[in-house]
Amino acid sequence: MSQRKGAMAAAVTSSKHHEDQEMMMELRRGPWTLEEDNLLMNYIACHGEGRWNLLARCSGLKRTGKSCRLRWLNYLKPDIKRGNLTPEEQLLILELHSKWGNRWSRIAQHLPGRTDNEIKNYWRTRVQKQARQLRVDANSAVFRDAVRCYWMPRLLEKMAATSSAHHHHGELPPPPPLHPSHVACMASSSSPIHGGSHEQDPTTHAPAAGSGSHGGHYYQRYPVDPSPSTSTTSGSTSAAALPPVPCFSELSWVDQYGYGPYSYTADLDGAGVSFDDAAALESLGLDGLDLGPADSDVYSDTTLLDYLNSTCAGGTMMTMMGGGGSVGHNSCGGAMGGGGDADYGRPSSSWRTDELVVQASARRLGDHQHQWGGGI
DNA sequence: AAATCCGACAACCGCATCGGA
DNA sequence: TTCCGATGCGGTTGTCGGATT
């Protein structure tokens, strides 16, 4: 808890007859002290939340009602979840922000225990930073596509890795693996154009069968087989209600201009699986997914720039990540850290990897911005 | 070791909205 | 219907601590 450093407004006034004025002059600002926190918590424990101005007057706190409310909602409330955002939460934020924009409180409603302030800060410090480095607007179609093409797949990868790690270490509660098709459906259905209404609540995307919530998230997962031998790392996942599928991640989307659909296939099990036709999907129980253009060779390489080049201006290919293994051949390929050889033991530094990739992209994008006349 | 930079996050501010008198 | 206080929301700023020079 940070100690008192806030500016105590000077209470010096020759006329203290006006009570309101006196209150105003004594109002504290800045970081909250432990004593203040205790006062606030005790008051709320006795009287409940709400009526913040009354609370501010009666609790003995020299704070505004607004300040009390904010302190409670953003910090003291018992169900506040602390710590770093999980990959799932990050993915959800990216997804929901693409639908709703800066509706932080609305987004926060779908991340139990997370506050709008926390989500807003995450967006500004992490996401907007990437956009700045790309020299594009964070709300631009180009950046949104980059997020879908690069960021989300990596989060999916991290989620898979996390799921696997939990599996092997017997951590509780064991998070069931995210079903790739559900993620795909989520990504696909939420596309601003492809997905229909912008205002559709993502929770309504959930199919009735095999659905459920875990940790308050709306992601739909399928039941986990507790046996490590059947974990997702083996390349197939046991599920009672769904057919076995290879361990891959897929995203499908249509960009703001109606181009596409584009799709992404991340090979997570080393099998080099790719899907080029509906029959293959159907055989895996993933029919209904839109996996992108038939001329998928157009998007055959592995970089953000390639994707941007292909969709926006054409141009040279470059590979920014090593590995060179096979990845799915659909549209914007994966570049999933060594292609086709997913490392589930990879430390959590993959976020840094993302940044490096995007930063590398930024330099190239800057070049192409000239080609595009800077009109991104 | 000191200075500087920078990321993360807590907190504040202004405006919008809501609801009751 | 209008007014006004309470509350909520999003943008912005301030502060701290770790990283870098």
Side-chain angles (χ1 to χ4, degrees):
Chain A
M1 173 66 56
S2 58
Q3 291 305 305
R4 180 184 313 239
K5 288 199 73 171
M8 175 86 80
V12 180
T13 173
S14 58
S15 62
K16 290 181 178 277
H17 304 296
H18 200 291
E19 193 173 346
D20 288 345
Q21 189 177 13
E22 184 177 344
M23 279 292 292
M24 289 297 292
M25 296 301 285
E26 289 184 355
L27 282 179
R28 273 185 45 75
R29 295 179 58 191
W32 282 62
T33 65
L34 185 59
E35 292 76 17
E36 288 178 309
D37 283 344
N38 286 332
L39 266 178
L40 180 56
M41 286 188 291
N42 288 336
Y43 187 93
I44 289 176
C46 293
H47 302 92
E49 297 180 49
R51 298 160 71 182
W52 298 106
N53 286 339
L54 181 64
L55 181 155
R57 285 195 300 269
C58 301
S59 64
L61 288 163
K62 294 181 173 60
R63 298 275 185 172
T64 66
K66 280 177 122 181
S67 181
C68 294
R69 170 183 168 271
L70 216 56
R71 183 62 177 175
W72 174 254
L73 292 178
N74 286 342
Y75 198 84
L76 296 176
K77 203 173 180 182
D79 57 358
I80 293 294
K81 194 188 294 182
R82 318 299 304 182
N84 295 335
L85 292 165
T86 66
E88 293 181 22
E89 289 171 323
Q90 294 174 34
L91 182 67
L92 190 48
I93 290 170
L94 295 174
E95 175 64 24
L96 295 181
H97 187 275
S98 73
K99 296 164 66 69
W100 297 332
N102 296 358
R103 302 288 300 279
W104 307 118
S105 64
R106 186 171 183 179
I107 293 172
Q109 289 171 7
H110 293 276
L111 287 94
R114 302 297 187 180
T115 67
D116 55 352
N117 206 32
E118 189 173 11
I119 293 168
K120 179 173 56 181
N121 283 330
Y122 165 77
W123 184 265
R124 293 185 60 82
T125 58
R126 307 287 185 85
V127 181
Q128 285 200 333
K129 184 184 76 173
Q130 302 294 349
R132 282 196 303 272
Q133 289 172 343
L134 284 164
R135 286 183 268 176
V136 299
D137 187 274
N139 294 317
S140 68
V142 167
F143 184 72
R144 280 204 301 269
D145 285 349
V147 165
R148 287 191 179 280
C149 186
Y150 259 86
W151 212 324
M152 288 182 166
R154 279 179 173 72
L155 290 172
L156 288 170
E157 181 191 22
K158 289 185 72 172
M159 288 159 60
T162 301
S163 176
S164 175
H166 281 226
H167 234 139
H168 289 119
H169 293 108
E171 297 180 27
L172 293 175
L178 180 66
H179 193 292
S181 66
H182 290 152
V183 177
C185 288
M186 175 187 75
S188 175
S189 64
S190 63
S191 174
I193 296 173
H194 194 184
S197 169
H198 292 214
E199 293 298 311
Q200 186 178 7
D201 187 322
T203 58
T204 63
H205 297 165
S211 67
S213 66
H214 177 75
H217 297 163
Y218 77 84
Y219 290 119
Q220 305 305 309
R221 311 159 189 260
Y222 60 161
V224 62
D225 184 332
S227 166
S229 64
T230 57
S231 75
T232 57
T233 59
S234 67
S236 65
T237 305
S238 173
L242 292 167
V245 295
C247 181
F248 73 100
S249 298
E250 190 278 339
L251 291 168
S252 176
W253 72 96
V254 176
D255 71 20
Q256 191 178 38
Y257 308 108
Y259 296 119
Y262 309 117
S263 67
Y264 165 89
T265 301
D267 174 8
L268 294 183
D269 63 355
V273 179
S274 66
F275 302 95
D276 293 321
D277 56 64
L281 289 174
E282 189 171 1
S283 70
L284 294 165
L286 298 174
D287 49 312
L289 295 183
D290 199 340
L291 284 187
D295 55 336
S296 56
D297 283 344
V298 172
Y299 310 103
S300 59
D301 212 324
T302 59
T303 69
L304 168 64
L305 251 290
D306 296 332
Y307 165 70
L308 294 174
N309 290 338
S310 300
T311 57
C312 300
T316 60
M317 292 293 195
M318 67 175 283
T319 299
M320 281 177 282
M321 293 193 68
S326 69
V327 293
H329 288 292
N330 270 343
S331 52
C332 174
M336 300 293 279
D341 198 11
D343 178 9
Y344 287 89
R346 180 178 303 163
S348 60
S349 61
S350 58
W351 189 273
R352 284 289 173 189
T353 304
D354 297 347
E355 292 180 355
L356 290 175
V357 170
V358 177
Q359 284 166 15
S361 304
R363 290 192 292 272
R364 294 283 298 186
L365 180 60
D367 296 337
H368 284 278
Q369 276 185 303
H370 294 296
Q371 293 182 17
W372 303 339
I376 303 177

